[in-house]
């Protein structure tokens, strides 16, 4: 039975001349050394296929008779031999199949590395959005506190407030300005972490979303779908098939090899008598057959291939279990952040209403200014927590996409 996971999908609006997160994915895919290394590994594996499918090199030998061997038609001077060995039928195909399957397995590993890189880029990108929003919120908070300070100062001068109210605002202002400074310094390591994934300069600036709209979007995906087309599982399945092809190749390598050759013998003429074909060179076809009598190495190669099949099958089962577990955790994280976003929206709305009422009462009576400040700080806390929940939601969604190998 299918599970429907209801999530909040955040539609990001970027400046028209800016780069989207998808653009950064492309930059990372083209620049990241680790991912490029994985692709080179795949390309190198492809070069193995023509190597193992090729026939062994022919053998050419030359011999010179220091003491000529006398024959009926004359003394032999030199001999040339050319031999080509042929593996048993199907050996080269089995070896080629094994190499091709291993190359395809490496390509699937590359796809998984690419998907993981996309997740890492997302996980480094959204904290920069969080930081930008926290800076904006803190700047707004400072502006509000400065206006509160002006109001409380005026109340104090008119005898409608106390000096304590002015001092309380000063304390909060100093804290807010310190927090703002810390936040601005935090941008340096976050930028460095993000740009490292794109193999760019550490301080290169990036475009961050200006606004967020919130819509409800259902994601329909089941755990069973994980095993259909996941690069990690595909890679292990291909390795199982490659090991099976290696087993067939090992079996055939234990069969005789056939060699076809040609011997050419140079003969001098006889001077002591006249004979038919005097001094005629000799051309002799040759047939060679190897005798694989020592079976230990062939049995070991077959057993090795069988054990590798079992190993890859067990690895596939382990990865499947891990993916299903990670899937449940990712779904939980998405649901958790969705609930928190809804909660913080309600708390922000109610805190704003309470703050307006408290500030109006303070304007009329000059009392309970401490409550005004407390509610303002509570509103600040909920606003920051909502931004953090949005950030964690996006990271959880990116992880979900990685686990499910969504394009």
């Amino acid at each position: 039975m299918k599970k429907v996971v209801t999530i909040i999908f955040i539609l990001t609006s970027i400046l028209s001349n800016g780069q989207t997160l998808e653009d950064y994915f492309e930059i990372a895919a083209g620049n990241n050394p680790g991912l490029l290394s994985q692709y080179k590994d795949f390309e190198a594996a492809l070069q193995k296929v023509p190597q193992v499918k090729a026939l062994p090199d022919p053998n050419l030998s030359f011999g010179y008779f220091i003491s000529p061997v006398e024959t009926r038609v004359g003394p032999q001077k030199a001999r040339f031999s050319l031999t080509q060995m042929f593996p048993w039928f199907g050996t080269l195909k089995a070896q080629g199949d094994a190499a091709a399957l291993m190359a395809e397995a490496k390509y699937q590993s590359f796809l998984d590395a690419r998907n993981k890189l996309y997740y890492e880029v997302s996980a480094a990108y959204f904290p920069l959005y969080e930081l930008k929003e926290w800076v904006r919120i803190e700047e707004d908070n400072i502006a509000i506190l400065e206006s509160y300070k002006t109001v409380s100062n005026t109340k104090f001068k008119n005898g409608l407030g106390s000096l304590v109210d002015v001092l309380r605002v000063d304390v909060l202002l100093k804290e807010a300005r310190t927090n703002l400074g810390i936040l601005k310094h935090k941008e340096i390591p976050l930028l460095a972490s993000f740009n490292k994934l794109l193999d760019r300069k550490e301080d290169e600036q990036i475009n961050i979303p200006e606004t967020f709209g919130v819509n409800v979007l259902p994601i329909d995906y089941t755990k069973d779908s994980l095993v259909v087309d996941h690069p990690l599982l595909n890679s292990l399945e291909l390795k199982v098939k490659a090991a099976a092809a290696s087993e067939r190749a090992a079996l055939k390598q234990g069969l005789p090899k056939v060699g076809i050759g040609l011997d050419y013998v140079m003969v001098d003429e006889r001077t002591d008598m006249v004979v038919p074909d005097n001094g005629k060179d000799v051309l002799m076809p040759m047939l060679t057959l190897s005798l694989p009598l020592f079976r230990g190495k062939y049995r070991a190669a077959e057993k090795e291939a069988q054990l590798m099949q079992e190993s890859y099958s067990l690895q596939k089962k382990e990865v499947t279990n891990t993916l299903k577990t990670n899937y449940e955790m990712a779904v939980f994280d998405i649901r958790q952040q969705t609930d928190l976003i809804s909660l913080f929206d309600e708390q922000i709305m109610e805190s704003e209403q309470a703050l307006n009422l408290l500030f109006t009462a303070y304007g009329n009576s000059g009392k309970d200014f401490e409550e005004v400040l407390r509610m303002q700080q509570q509103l600040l806390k909920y606003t920051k927590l909502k931004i953090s929940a949005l950030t964690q939601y996006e990271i959880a969604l990116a992880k979900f996409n990685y686990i499910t190998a969504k394009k």
Side-chain angles (χ1 to χ4, degrees):
M1 183 176 180
K2 293 185 176 181
K3 289 184 179 180
V4 177
V5 182
T6 303
I7 64 169
I8 294 179
F9 179 68
I10 302 174
L11 300 174
T12 307
S13 172
I14 308 289
L15 294 173
S16 59
N17 61 346
Q19 290 174 306
T20 64
L21 180 57
E22 287 71 24
D23 293 329
Y24 290 124
F25 287 161
E26 293 182 9
I27 294 172
N31 293 351
N32 185 268
L35 186 62
L36 295 177
S37 172
Q38 287 269 21
Y39 191 76
K40 292 298 180 184
D41 193 29
F42 157 66
E43 289 186 316
L46 284 177
Q47 302 307 311
K48 189 74 173 176
V49 179
Q51 296 178 51
V52 298
K53 290 181 67 176
L55 287 170
D57 293 331
N59 290 323
L60 176 64
S61 60
F62 169 75
Y64 183 80
F65 294 94
I66 298 175
S67 298
V69 178
E70 294 290 342
T71 66
R72 185 184 65 82
V73 295
Q76 297 180 359
K77 291 177 59 180
R79 173 177 292 183
F80 295 90
S81 296
L82 180 64
T83 306
Q84 175 66 64
M85 297 299 295
F86 294 90
W88 195 259
F89 304 103
T91 303
L92 296 181
K93 182 180 184 304
Q95 292 177 168
D97 290 344
L101 288 165
M102 284 302 294
E104 180 60 25
K106 287 182 180 294
Y107 181 72
Q108 292 296 322
S109 296
F110 159 75
L111 292 181
D112 179 69
R114 181 203 62 184
N115 293 343
K116 185 177 181 181
L117 176 63
Y118 289 172
Y119 163 66
E120 291 173 347
V121 170
S122 297
Y125 177 81
F126 287 106
L128 283 162
Y129 163 76
E130 178 185 41
L131 177 65
K132 179 181 178 181
E133 288 299 296
W134 274 36
V135 168
R136 180 188 60 78
I137 292 168
E138 202 64 70
E139 288 174 344
D140 291 345
N141 180 50
I142 290 173
I144 291 171
L145 290 175
E146 287 175 342
S147 68
Y148 283 178
K149 182 177 180 180
T150 301
V151 172
S152 63
N153 214 359
T154 302
K155 290 279 188 182
F156 170 65
K157 290 179 180 178
N158 294 333
L160 299 177
S162 67
L163 182 59
V164 174
D165 294 339
V166 180
L167 295 175
R168 284 197 181 105
V169 180
D170 269 336
V171 170
L172 292 177
L173 270 172
K174 289 178 182 177
E175 181 181 346
R177 286 170 180 149
T178 300
N179 289 339
L180 181 60
I182 293 172
L183 289 174
K184 289 183 176 179
H185 289 310
K186 188 178 180 181
E187 183 181 22
I188 296 175
L190 290 181
L191 271 179
S193 177
F194 180 83
N195 284 317
K196 176 181 68 70
L197 295 171
L198 277 63
D199 196 31
R200 306 193 308 182
K201 294 180 180 178
E202 292 183 354
D203 59 349
E204 189 162 343
Q205 295 297 311
I206 70 170
N207 291 301
I208 302 295
E210 294 291 339
T211 59
F212 278 85
V214 178
N215 286 340
V216 175
L217 180 71
I219 286 185
D220 190 0
Y221 204 97
T222 63
K223 283 188 295 184
D224 294 336
S225 302
L226 290 172
V227 300
V228 175
D229 191 27
H230 195 285
L232 274 178
L233 299 178
N234 290 343
S235 175
L236 290 169
E237 180 61 28
L238 287 165
K239 287 180 179 180
V240 171
K241 294 179 180 178
S246 295
E247 182 183 1
R248 293 194 300 272
L251 177 63
K252 291 181 179 295
Q253 284 170 353
L255 299 174
K257 298 177 179 63
V258 179
I260 297 176
L262 191 67
D263 270 16
Y264 177 75
V265 182
M266 299 175 64
V267 181
D268 275 350
E269 293 183 356
R270 295 189 64 166
T271 59
D272 57 341
M273 67 177 64
V274 177
V275 296
D277 296 328
N278 187 19
K280 185 177 181 180
D281 294 341
V282 179
L283 191 64
M284 183 173 58
M286 302 286 290
L287 181 65
T288 305
L289 187 68
S290 69
L291 300 177
L293 299 178
F294 306 104
R295 307 296 303 170
K297 61 181 179 181
Y298 303 113
R299 287 194 293 267
E302 291 178 45
K303 187 63 176 179
E304 177 189 7
Q306 292 168 0
L307 291 172
M308 290 309 299
Q309 290 178 67
E310 294 176 15
S311 173
Y312 292 137
S313 296
L314 292 170
Q315 288 180 47
K316 183 180 177 182
K317 185 175 181 180
E318 175 66 15
V319 170
T320 300
N321 293 339
T322 301
L323 284 174
K324 289 182 177 181
T325 301
N326 291 342
Y327 172 91
E328 292 293 354
M329 289 302 302
V331 169
F332 168 76
D333 288 341
I334 290 172
R335 286 173 171 167
Q336 180 186 40
Q337 300 308 323
T338 299
D339 292 342
L340 288 175
I341 291 169
S342 298
L343 171 65
F344 295 141
D345 275 335
E346 295 176 3
Q347 290 176 321
I348 289 171
M349 181 180 64
E350 293 175 359
S351 295
E352 286 175 342
Q353 293 174 350
L355 179 60
N356 290 334
L357 292 173
L358 287 169
F359 192 73
T360 300
Y362 171 71
N364 294 332
S365 65
K367 297 179 180 180
D368 295 329
F369 187 63
E370 184 178 0
E371 282 299 305
V372 173
L373 295 178
R374 187 186 67 79
M375 188 56 64
Q376 168 60 26
Q377 295 308 298
Q378 181 172 298
L379 178 59
L380 173 69
K381 180 185 75 173
Y382 290 144
T383 306
K384 285 184 174 181
L385 287 174
K386 178 186 174 181
I387 295 300
S388 294
L390 286 169
T391 300
Q392 292 305 313
Y393 163 78
E394 281 291 357
I395 294 175
L397 182 58
K399 187 174 184 180
F400 178 87
N401 289 338
Y402 166 61
I403 293 170
T404 58
K406 289 175 67 68
K407 305 296 187 296

